[in-house]
Amino acid sequence: MEKNAKIYVAGHRGMVGGALVRRLQQASYQNIVTRTSKELDLRNKEAVDAFFAEEKPEYVFLAAAKVGGILANNTYRADFLLDNLQIQNNVIQASFDQDVKKLLFLGSSCIYPKMAPQPIKEEYLLTGPLEATNEPYALAKIAGLKLCEAFRDQHGSNYISAMPTNLYGPGDNYDLQNSHVLPALLRKFHEAKENNALEVEVWGTGTPRREFLHVDDLADACLHLMLHYNGKEPVNVGTGEDLTIRELVELVRDTVGYEGNIRFDTDKPDGTPRKLLDVSKLADAGWKYKISLPEGIREVYKEAFQSAPVA
Ligand SMILES: NC(=O)C1=CN([C@@H]2O[C@H](COP(=O)(O)OP(=O)(O)OC[C@H]3O[C@@H](n4cnc5c(N)ncnc54)[C@H](OP(=O)(O)O)[C@@H]3O)[C@@H](O)[C@H]2O)C=CC1
Ligand SMILES: C[C@H]1O[C@H](OP(=O)(O)OP(=O)(O)OC[C@H]2O[C@@H](n3cnc4c(=O)[nH]c(N)nc43)[C@H](O)[C@@H]2O)[C@@H](O)[C@@H](O)C1=O
């Protein structure tokens, strides 16, 4: 990828898209094209086709998507399936029509079967039923990675797919209903400490296990894959380490310095019991994460809550 190549980052205002733009600029890629969803609704095929015909990007990072935590996925089931199918179908088709040299599609670790053997290898895809709470989203992501594979099979398109584990970092979503667990816990414990609340309520039983990767590490992995990976199979991107939600709750509580009680609301869903990724493929390609979870949580907490109020 030449330093003056025209690179389209779809979803640049999001947590992942923002990290991708930072990483590309840090690596001296200056010809980066972006559009907000107000400027370009990627569900609108005509608008997407017109944008690609006008801009003719050479490389595409497809980080735009409808994204949310377990409750959002389980509430807006049709939106998560339809929006994500429309976005990825339009961007991948337009990329082919305009001869994009290489496209990287972002999937998610939730594409794998609920009870897949752990750690999860890429070849476990479609070997068992999905987790019910995010099945619509997972099916959209599976369709996206399969569309990339199909364009490669039929047309020789160099479209690759990365399957990230749970992510956190600057620009995360802190809405208490729709966000993922880590940003939600940071906000809950911060506000409880500020308000001297006696108790913090967290969801589920605390027994599921999750793996967390800082979004700056993900962006670095995506650039590494764009530069060096030309394979058909999706590539897992993670740390290869996980912890229980209860351990995460205690880590966030201690980072924030909250000393009150914690109550687990078992009426809320646990979701997948565990989704630890096997990251040996990425390790074989020479990449490993850098930011440890405790360090990452400290940094994110400082940046999001101790320097300015959360929007
Ligand atoms: N967060 C996580 O834990 C994980 C995320 N991923 C994947 O990473 C990618 C990015 O996720 P993340 O950064 O967390 O999500 P965010 O919600 O932070 O960002 C999503 C972005 O997509 C854009 N977008 C959404 N709908 C549309 C639309 N109709 N038209 C144009 N743009 C749209 C938004 O643009 P705007 O701001 O302009 O409205 C936003 O910038 C997704 O593919 C997600 O599946 C994978 C695994 C874990
Ligand atoms: C990245 C991945 O993210 C999603 O899957 P998920 O990892 O299950 O999502 P989550 O981060 O929201 O929850 C993780 C665990 O944490 C528990 N939990 C406790 N307390 C809170 C809490 O306050 N908020 C949330 N959201 N969860 C909480 C919660 O009960 C669950 O056991 C997919 O939908 C899909 O988007 C996807 O691919």
Side-chain angles (χ1 to χ4, degrees), residues 223-275:
L223 178 56
H224 181 91
L225 292 169
M226 184 63 98
L227 294 175
H228 305 296
Y229 181 69
N230 299 297
K232 174 175 174 179
E233 296 73 28
V235 180
N236 289 341
V237 186
T239 63
E241 298 152 29
D242 66 358
L243 72 172
T244 65
I245 294 300
R246 177 180 289 277
E247 289 164 338
L248 180 73
V249 166
E250 289 163 358
L251 180 57
V252 173
R253 176 200 61 191
D254 297 346
T255 304
V256 171
Y258 176 73
E259 294 174 351
N261 298 325
I262 295 164
R263 187 174 71 82
F264 285 86
D265 174 3
T266 52
D267 290 340
K268 291 286 191 316
D270 269 340
T272 306
R274 192 180 191 196
K275 42 182 176 176

Coordinates of all heavy atoms in Angstrom, one line a residue, residues 223-275:
L223 N -3.8 -2.9 10.1 CA -2.9 -2.4 9.1 C -1.9 -3.5 8.7 O -1.5 -3.6 7.6 CB -2.1 -1.2 9.7 CG -1.0 -0.6 8.8 CD1 -1.5 -0.2 7.4 CD2 -0.3 0.6 9.5
H224 N -1.5 -4.2 9.7 CA -0.5 -5.4 9.5 C -1.2 -6.3 8.5 O -0.5 -6.7 7.5 CB -0.3 -6.1 10.8 CG 0.7 -7.2 10.7 ND1 2.1 -7.1 10.8 CD2 0.5 -8.5 10.4 CE1 2.6 -8.3 10.6 NE2 1.7 -9.2 10.4
L225 N -2.4 -6.7 8.6 CA -3.1 -7.6 7.7 C -3.3 -7.0 6.3 O -3.1 -7.6 5.3 CB -4.5 -8.0 8.3 CG -4.5 -8.8 9.6 CD1 -5.9 -9.0 10.2 CD2 -3.9 -10.2 9.3
M226 N -3.6 -5.7 6.3 CA -3.8 -5.0 5.0 C -2.5 -5.0 4.2 O -2.4 -5.2 3.0 CB -4.3 -3.6 5.2 CG -4.6 -2.8 3.9 SD -5.9 -3.6 2.9 CE -7.3 -2.5 3.4
L227 N -1.4 -4.9 4.9 CA -0.1 -4.9 4.3 C 0.5 -6.3 3.9 O 1.2 -6.4 3.0 CB 1.0 -4.2 5.2 CG 0.7 -2.7 5.4 CD1 1.7 -2.1 6.4 CD2 0.7 -1.9 4.1
H228 N 0.1 -7.3 4.8 CA 0.9 -8.6 4.6 C 0.0 -9.8 4.4 O 0.5 -10.8 4.1 CB 1.7 -8.8 5.9 CG 2.7 -7.7 6.2 ND1 3.7 -7.3 5.4 CD2 2.7 -6.8 7.2 CE1 4.4 -6.3 5.9 NE2 3.8 -5.9 7.0
Y229 N -1.3 -9.7 4.7 CA -2.2 -10.9 4.6 C -3.0 -10.9 3.3 O -3.7 -9.9 3.1 CB -3.1 -11.0 5.8 CG -3.9 -12.3 5.8 CD1 -3.4 -13.6 6.0 CD2 -5.3 -12.2 5.6 CE1 -4.2 -14.7 5.9 CE2 -6.1 -13.3 5.5 CZ -5.5 -14.6 5.7 OH -6.3 -15.7 5.7
N230 N -2.9 -11.9 2.5 CA -3.7 -12.0 1.3 C -4.5 -13.3 1.2 O -4.7 -13.8 0.1 CB -2.8 -11.8 0.1 CG -2.0 -10.5 0.1 OD1 -2.7 -9.4 0.0 ND2 -0.7 -10.5 0.3
G231 N -4.9 -13.8 2.3 CA -5.5 -15.1 2.3 C -7.0 -15.0 2.3 O -7.6 -14.0 2.5
K232 N -7.7 -16.2 2.0 CA -9.1 -16.2 1.9 C -9.8 -16.3 3.3 O -10.9 -15.8 3.5 CB -9.5 -17.4 1.0 CG -11.0 -17.7 0.9 CD -11.2 -18.9 -0.1 CE -12.7 -19.3 -0.1 NZ -12.9 -20.4 -1.0
E233 N -9.1 -17.1 4.2 CA -9.8 -17.3 5.5 C -9.8 -16.1 6.4 O -8.8 -15.3 6.3 CB -9.0 -18.5 6.2 CG -9.1 -19.8 5.5 CD -8.2 -19.8 4.3 OE1 -7.2 -19.1 4.2 OE2 -8.5 -20.5 3.3
P234 N -10.8 -16.0 7.2 CA -10.8 -14.9 8.2 C -9.7 -15.1 9.2 O -9.3 -16.2 9.4 CB -12.2 -15.0 8.8 CG -12.7 -16.4 8.5 CD -12.1 -16.8 7.2
V235 N -9.3 -14.0 9.8 CA -8.2 -14.1 10.8 C -8.7 -13.5 12.1 O -9.1 -12.4 12.2 CB -7.0 -13.3 10.3 CG1 -5.8 -13.3 11.4 CG2 -6.5 -13.7 9.0
N236 N -8.6 -14.4 13.2 CA -9.0 -13.9 14.5 C -8.0 -12.9 15.0 O -6.7 -13.0 14.8 CB -8.9 -15.1 15.5 CG -10.1 -16.1 15.3 OD1 -11.1 -15.7 14.6 ND2 -9.9 -17.3 15.8
V237 N -8.5 -11.8 15.7 CA -7.6 -10.8 16.3 C -8.0 -10.6 17.7 O -9.1 -10.2 18.1 CB -7.8 -9.4 15.5 CG1 -6.7 -8.4 16.1 CG2 -7.6 -9.6 14.0
G238 N -7.0 -11.0 18.6 CA -7.3 -10.9 20.0 C -6.0 -11.0 20.8 O -4.9 -10.9 20.3
T239 N -6.2 -11.2 22.1 CA -5.0 -11.3 23.0 C -4.7 -12.8 23.3 O -3.6 -13.1 23.8 CB -5.3 -10.6 24.4 OG1 -6.4 -11.3 25.0 CG2 -5.6 -9.1 24.1
G240 N -5.7 -13.6 23.2 CA -5.5 -15.0 23.6 C -5.6 -15.3 25.1 O -5.3 -16.3 25.6
E241 N -6.1 -14.2 25.8 CA -6.3 -14.3 27.2 C -7.7 -13.8 27.6 O -8.2 -12.9 27.0 CB -5.3 -13.5 28.0 CG -3.8 -13.9 27.8 CD -2.9 -12.7 27.9 OE1 -3.2 -11.8 28.7 OE2 -1.9 -12.7 27.2
D242 N -8.4 -14.5 28.5 CA -9.7 -14.0 29.0 C -9.9 -14.0 30.5 O -9.0 -14.5 31.2 CB -10.8 -14.8 28.3 CG -10.9 -16.3 28.7 OD1 -10.0 -16.7 29.5 OD2 -11.8 -17.0 28.2
L243 N -11.0 -13.5 30.9 CA -11.3 -13.4 32.4 C -12.8 -13.5 32.6 O -13.5 -13.2 31.6 CB -10.7 -12.2 33.0 CG -11.3 -10.8 32.8 CD1 -10.7 -9.8 33.7 CD2 -11.2 -10.4 31.4
T244 N -13.3 -13.8 33.8 CA -14.7 -13.8 34.0 C -15.2 -12.4 34.1 O -14.4 -11.4 34.4 CB -15.1 -14.5 35.3 OG1 -14.6 -13.8 36.4 CG2 -14.5 -15.9 35.3
I245 N -16.5 -12.2 33.9 CA -17.1 -10.9 34.0 C -16.9 -10.4 35.4 O -16.7 -9.2 35.7 CB -18.6 -10.9 33.6 CG1 -18.7 -11.2 32.1 CG2 -19.3 -9.6 33.9 CD1 -18.0 -10.2 31.2
R246 N -17.1 -11.3 36.4 CA -16.9 -10.9 37.8 C -15.4 -10.4 38.0 O -15.2 -9.4 38.6 CB -17.1 -12.1 38.7 CG -16.9 -11.8 40.2 CD -17.1 -13.0 41.1 NE -18.5 -13.3 41.2 CZ -19.4 -12.7 42.1 NH1 -18.9 -11.8 42.9 NH2 -20.6 -13.1 42.2
E247 N -14.4 -11.0 37.4 CA -13.1 -10.5 37.6 C -12.9 -9.2 36.9 O -12.2 -8.3 37.4 CB -12.1 -11.5 36.9 CG -11.9 -12.8 37.7 CD -11.3 -13.9 36.9 OE1 -11.3 -13.9 35.7 OE2 -10.7 -14.9 37.6
L248 N -13.6 -9.0 35.8 CA -13.6 -7.7 35.1 C -14.2 -6.6 35.9 O -13.7 -5.5 36.1 CB -14.3 -7.8 33.7 CG -14.3 -6.5 32.9 CD1 -13.0 -6.2 32.3 CD2 -15.4 -6.6 31.8
V249 N -15.4 -7.0 36.5 CA -16.1 -6.0 37.4 C -15.1 -5.6 38.5 O -15.0 -4.4 38.8 CB -17.4 -6.7 38.0 CG1 -17.9 -5.9 39.2 CG2 -18.4 -6.8 36.9
E250 N -14.4 -6.5 39.1 CA -13.5 -6.2 40.2 C -12.3 -5.3 39.7 O -11.9 -4.4 40.4 CB -13.1 -7.5 40.9 CG -14.2 -8.1 41.7 CD -14.0 -9.6 42.1 OE1 -12.9 -10.1 41.7 OE2 -14.8 -10.2 42.7
L251 N -11.9 -5.6 38.6 CA -10.7 -4.8 38.0 C -11.2 -3.4 37.7 O -10.5 -2.4 38.1 CB -10.3 -5.5 36.7 CG -9.1 -4.9 35.9 CD1 -7.9 -4.7 36.8 CD2 -8.8 -5.7 34.7
V252 N -12.4 -3.2 37.2 CA -12.9 -1.9 36.9 C -13.2 -1.2 38.2 O -12.8 0.0 38.4 CB -14.1 -1.9 36.0 CG1 -14.7 -0.5 35.9 CG2 -13.8 -2.5 34.6
R253 N -13.8 -1.9 39.2 CA -14.1 -1.3 40.5 C -12.8 -0.7 41.1 O -12.8 0.4 41.6 CB -14.8 -2.3 41.4 CG -15.1 -1.9 42.8 CD -15.2 -3.1 43.7 NE -14.0 -3.9 43.8 CZ -13.9 -5.1 44.3 NH1 -15.0 -5.6 44.8 NH2 -12.8 -5.7 44.4
D254 N -11.8 -1.5 41.1 CA -10.5 -1.1 41.8 C -9.8 0.0 41.0 O -9.2 0.9 41.6 CB -9.6 -2.4 41.9 CG -10.2 -3.5 42.7 OD1 -11.2 -3.2 43.5 OD2 -9.7 -4.6 42.7
T255 N -9.9 0.0 39.7 CA -9.3 1.1 38.9 C -10.0 2.4 39.2 O -9.3 3.4 39.3 CB -9.5 0.7 37.3 OG1 -8.9 -0.5 37.1 CG2 -8.8 1.8 36.5
V256 N -11.3 2.3 39.3 CA -12.1 3.6 39.6 C -12.0 4.0 41.0 O -12.0 5.2 41.4 CB -13.6 3.3 39.2 CG1 -14.5 4.5 39.7 CG2 -13.7 3.1 37.7
G257 N -11.8 3.0 41.9 CA -11.7 3.3 43.3 C -13.0 3.3 44.0 O -13.2 4.1 45.0
Y258 N -14.0 2.5 43.5 CA -15.3 2.5 44.2 C -15.3 1.4 45.3 O -14.7 0.4 45.2 CB -16.3 2.0 43.1 CG -17.7 1.9 43.7 CD1 -18.5 3.0 44.1 CD2 -18.3 0.6 43.9 CE1 -19.8 2.8 44.6 CE2 -19.5 0.4 44.4 CZ -20.3 1.5 44.7 OH -21.5 1.3 45.3
E259 N -15.9 1.8 46.5 CA -15.8 0.9 47.6 C -17.2 0.4 48.1 O -17.3 -0.2 49.1 CB -15.1 1.6 48.8 CG -13.7 1.9 48.4 CD -13.0 2.8 49.5 OE1 -13.7 3.3 50.4 OE2 -11.7 3.0 49.4
G260 N -18.3 0.6 47.3 CA -19.6 0.2 47.6 C -19.8 -1.3 47.2 O -18.9 -2.0 46.9
N261 N -21.1 -1.7 47.2 CA -21.5 -3.0 46.9 C -21.7 -3.3 45.4 O -22.0 -2.3 44.7 CB -22.8 -3.4 47.7 CG -22.6 -3.3 49.2 OD1 -21.5 -3.6 49.7 ND2 -23.6 -2.8 49.9
I262 N -21.7 -4.5 45.1 CA -22.0 -4.9 43.7 C -23.1 -5.9 43.7 O -23.1 -6.9 44.5 CB -20.7 -5.6 43.0 CG1 -19.6 -4.5 42.9 CG2 -21.1 -6.1 41.6 CD1 -18.2 -5.2 42.7
R263 N -24.1 -5.7 42.8 CA -25.3 -6.6 42.7 C -25.4 -7.1 41.3 O -25.4 -6.4 40.3 CB -26.6 -5.9 43.1 CG -27.8 -6.9 43.2 CD -29.0 -6.2 43.7 NE -29.6 -5.3 42.7 CZ -30.4 -5.7 41.7 NH1 -30.6 -7.0 41.5 NH2 -30.8 -4.8 40.8
F264 N -25.4 -8.4 41.2 CA -25.6 -9.1 39.8 C -27.0 -9.3 39.5 O -27.7 -10.0 40.2 CB -24.8 -10.4 39.8 CG -23.3 -10.2 39.7 CD1 -22.6 -10.1 40.8 CD2 -22.7 -10.2 38.4 CE1 -21.2 -9.9 40.7 CE2 -21.3 -10.0 38.3 CZ -20.5 -9.9 39.5
D265 N -27.5 -8.6 38.4 CA -28.9 -8.7 38.0 C -29.0 -9.9 37.1 O -28.8 -9.8 35.9 CB -29.4 -7.4 37.3 CG -30.8 -7.6 36.7 OD1 -31.4 -8.6 36.9 OD2 -31.2 -6.6 36.1
T266 N -29.4 -11.1 37.7 CA -29.4 -12.3 36.8 C -30.7 -12.4 35.9 O -30.8 -13.3 35.2 CB -29.4 -13.5 37.8 OG1 -30.5 -13.4 38.7 CG2 -28.1 -13.6 38.5
D267 N -31.5 -11.3 35.9 CA -32.6 -11.3 34.9 C -32.0 -10.8 33.6 O -32.6 -11.0 32.5 CB -33.7 -10.3 35.3 CG -34.5 -10.8 36.5 OD1 -34.4 -12.0 36.7 OD2 -35.1 -10.0 37.2
K268 N -30.8 -10.2 33.6 CA -30.2 -9.8 32.3 C -29.4 -11.0 31.7 O -28.9 -11.9 32.5 CB -29.2 -8.7 32.6 CG -29.9 -7.3 33.0 CD -30.5 -6.7 31.8 CE -31.0 -5.2 32.1 NZ -31.6 -5.0 33.3
P269 N -29.3 -11.1 30.4 CA -28.7 -12.3 29.8 C -27.2 -12.3 29.9 O -26.5 -11.3 30.0 CB -29.0 -12.1 28.3 CG -29.2 -10.6 28.1 CD -29.7 -10.1 29.4
D270 N -26.7 -13.5 30.1 CA -25.2 -13.8 30.1 C -24.6 -13.8 28.8 O -23.4 -13.5 28.6 CB -24.9 -15.1 30.8 CG -24.8 -15.0 32.3 OD1 -24.5 -13.9 32.8 OD2 -24.9 -16.0 33.0
G271 N -25.4 -14.3 27.8 CA -24.8 -14.5 26.4 C -23.9 -15.7 26.3 O -24.0 -16.6 27.1
T272 N -23.0 -15.6 25.4 CA -22.1 -16.8 25.2 C -21.2 -17.0 26.5 O -20.7 -16.1 27.0 CB -21.1 -16.4 24.0 OG1 -21.9 -16.1 22.9 CG2 -20.2 -17.6 23.7
P273 N -21.2 -18.3 26.9 CA -20.4 -18.6 28.1 C -18.9 -18.2 28.0 O -18.3 -17.7 28.9 CB -20.5 -20.1 28.3 CG -21.6 -20.6 27.4 CD -21.8 -19.5 26.4
R274 N -18.4 -18.4 26.8 CA -16.9 -18.1 26.6 C -16.7 -17.9 25.1 O -17.3 -18.6 24.3 CB -16.1 -19.2 27.1 CG -14.6 -18.8 27.3 CD -13.8 -20.0 27.8 NE -12.4 -19.5 28.2 CZ -11.4 -20.3 28.4 NH1 -11.6 -21.7 28.3 NH2 -10.2 -19.9 28.7
K275 N -15.8 -17.0 24.7 CA -15.5 -16.8 23.3 C -14.0 -16.4 23.2 O -13.7 -15.3 22.6 CB -16.4 -16.0 22.5 CG -16.8 -14.7 23.2 CD -17.8 -14.0 22.3 CE -18.4 -12.7 22.9 NZ -19.3 -12.0 22.0

